[in-house]
């Protein structure tokens, strides 16, 4: 029997020392596990002094990760100890079960880390829905708070760093995103896109060899000032983007030559219903709007031709 209890404790609390399972009660939805700490005393939270003088005790019911599809609720009896240190500002203190609970926590530490992992993967709203699937009622804001409370990762200094801007509100507020080009992982975010901010960030990381950036002057200046030892290169995405924009401008300027070829098969029909006489509420004279209007007319003309051809084919058979 004793061996069974030990195995049960190992199963339920594999990394928690000094804990005894008193009872396990299972109903249709919830597994209720009653447990207590087996240490004779505890360290005072004020002066770190040891005390075994029990003042009182009370139960707490933190939620835990589910078992076999059922929600788990612990019933932990916590003792309040008297601190014997006359110089300590605390007269009593409550014990904590290291690795299992924290002060004022309504979840176990492993449920807290599980919810934080869900939040990292899915963020607030979807994370809260996923938590509901395994029986934990939690708001999206709480999921986000758990993610924000995680310590910041400390990625290694990249050898090739990509620099670009990001918008928190497009057209109004911009920051700078820094990416490890070799791992394709974001490394850091700066709250603005000032040359001085980028220069300060680069100056703290002398191991950087290449800065991959667009042609914005503030990034060029920041990289030159903060990391003069690096080689600056224009990144491939911006080169292709600039090239495609130039090609589009060039084609648009010569579209009158191309338009004849494109519209030729439907010329007669287009002339029959020119876009300017369709009563369109949109203004004419804008190059982009005129292109869209011409394309719309051409599509409908071809559609009408196809329908007429299909009808004549059907009537002839
Ligand atoms: Zn104390």
């Amino acid at each position: 029997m004793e061996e069974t209890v030990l195995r049960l404790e190992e199963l339920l609390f594999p990394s928690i020392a000094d804990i005894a399972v008193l009872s396990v009660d299972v109903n249709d939805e919830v597994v209720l596990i009653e447990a207590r700490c087996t240490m004779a005393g505890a360290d005072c939270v004020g002066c770190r002094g040891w005390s075994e003088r029990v003042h009182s005790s009370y139960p707490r019911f933190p939620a835990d990760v589910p078992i076999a599809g059922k929600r788990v609720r612990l019933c932990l009896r916590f003792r309040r100890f008297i601190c014997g240190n006359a110089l300590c500002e605390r007269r009593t203190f409550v014990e904590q079960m290291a690795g299992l609970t924290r002060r004022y926590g309504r979840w176990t530490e492993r449920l807290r880390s599980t919810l934080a992992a869900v939040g990292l993967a899915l963020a607030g709203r979807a994370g809260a829905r996923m938590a509901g699937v395994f029986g934990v009622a939690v708001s999206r804001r709480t999921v986000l708070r758990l993610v924000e409370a995680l310590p910041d990762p400390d990625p290694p200094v990249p050898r090739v760093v990509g620099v670009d801007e990001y918008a928190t509100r497009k057209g109004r507020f911009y920051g700078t995103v820094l990416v490890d080009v070799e791992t394709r992982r974001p490394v850091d975010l700066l709250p603005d896109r000032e040359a001085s901010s980028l220069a300060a960030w680069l100056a703290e990381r002398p191991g950087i060899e290449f800065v991959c950036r667009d042609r914005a002057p503030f990034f060029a200046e920041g990289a030159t000032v903060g990391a003069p030892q690096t080689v600056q290169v224009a990144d491939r995405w911006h080169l292709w983007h600039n090239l495609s924009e130039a090609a589009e401008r060039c084609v648009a300027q010569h579209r009158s030559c191309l338009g004849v070829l494109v519209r030729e098969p439907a010329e007669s029909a287009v002339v029959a219903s020119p876009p300017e006489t369709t009563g369109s509420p949109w203004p004419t004279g804008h190059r982009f709007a005129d292109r869209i209007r011409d394309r719309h007319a051409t599509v409908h003309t071809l559609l009408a031709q196809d329908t007429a051809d299909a009808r004549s084919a059907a009537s002839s058979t």
Side-chain angles (χ1 to χ4, degrees):
M1 181 64 185
E2 191 173 339
E3 188 182 343
T4 307
V5 171
L6 282 174
R7 289 184 60 187
L8 185 64
E9 286 168 1
E10 281 176 15
L11 177 70
L12 296 176
F13 306 106
S15 57
I16 313 295
D18 308 312
I19 192 168
V21 174
L22 304 178
S23 68
V24 177
D25 186 32
V26 183
N27 64 30
D28 289 343
E29 294 181 355
V30 180
V31 179
L32 183 65
I33 302 168
E34 190 179 3
R36 68 175 179 83
C37 182
T38 57
M39 298 275 280
D43 287 325
C44 172
V45 295
C47 64
R48 312 309 303 169
W50 180 257
S51 173
E52 296 183 4
R53 294 171 61 195
V54 177
H55 174 277
S56 57
S57 68
Y58 65 95
R60 276 174 54 192
F61 302 90
D64 199 5
V65 288
I67 294 176
K70 293 178 189 290
R71 288 187 289 123
V72 173
R73 191 155 290 276
L74 303 183
C75 174
L76 303 175
R77 183 153 285 279
F78 282 82
R79 295 167 292 177
R80 180 177 288 279
F81 289 93
I82 299 169
C83 180
N85 183 354
L87 300 176
C88 180
E89 61 183 14
R90 303 189 70 95
R91 298 186 55 191
T92 64
F93 64 92
V94 176
E95 66 180 339
Q96 294 299 325
M97 298 186 187
L100 187 63
T101 61
R102 64 172 63 186
R103 289 176 79 190
Y104 312 121
R106 58 194 176 105
W107 306 309
T108 60
E109 291 299 285
R110 56 194 179 192
L111 178 55
R112 177 181 292 271
S113 58
T114 301
L115 291 173
V118 169
L120 269 180
L122 300 173
R125 204 179 298 272
R129 282 203 296 269
M130 177 54 77
V133 171
F134 55 80
V136 182
V138 64
S139 73
R140 63 189 175 91
R141 291 185 183 279
T142 304
V143 174
L144 292 179
R145 272 199 297 273
L146 288 171
V147 173
E148 287 169 2
L150 291 172
D152 287 335
D154 191 17
V157 175
R159 194 176 68 89
V160 185
V161 66
V163 182
D164 205 353
E165 62 188 15
Y166 70 94
T168 49
R169 187 175 174 192
K170 202 165 184 181
R172 298 286 298 276
F173 304 114
Y174 287 91
T176 303
V177 59
L178 298 132
V179 179
D180 186 332
V181 174
E182 291 178 304
T183 62
R184 301 189 174 193
R185 303 280 300 175
V187 179
D188 207 348
L189 294 175
L190 305 181
D192 54 44
R193 53 177 179 179
E194 300 295 326
S196 56
S197 303
L198 176 62
W201 191 91
L202 291 170
E204 292 172 4
R205 295 161 180 82
I208 296 172
E209 298 176 23
F210 296 91
V211 174
C212 195
R213 60 170 178 80
D214 65 10
R215 293 184 295 170
F218 36 86
F219 289 151
E221 183 188 338
T224 304
V225 173
Q229 79 284 2
T230 59
V231 177
Q232 297 181 33
V233 294
D235 70 62
R236 190 163 45 187
W237 187 88
H238 282 100
L239 283 179
W240 280 111
H241 186 63
N242 291 349
L243 178 62
S244 67
E245 282 182 336
E248 188 176 2
R249 274 199 303 273
C250 180
V251 170
Q253 283 168 358
H254 293 86
R255 65 174 295 278
S256 57
C257 324
L258 299 168
V260 173
L261 298 173
V262 170
R263 286 205 301 272
E264 201 164 11
E267 191 70 36
S268 57
V270 171
V271 170
S273 58
E276 287 75 11
T277 59
T278 55
S280 167
W282 307 109
T284 57
H286 295 282
R287 194 172 63 198
F288 181 73
D290 290 346
R291 277 166 54 194
I292 296 291
R293 190 179 290 107
D294 286 354
R295 197 178 304 155
H296 177 269
T298 306
V299 166
H300 279 271
T301 304
L302 291 171
L303 196 62
Q305 272 185 351
D306 277 356
T307 309
D309 290 348
R311 278 183 186 153
S312 64
S315 61
S316 65
T317 54

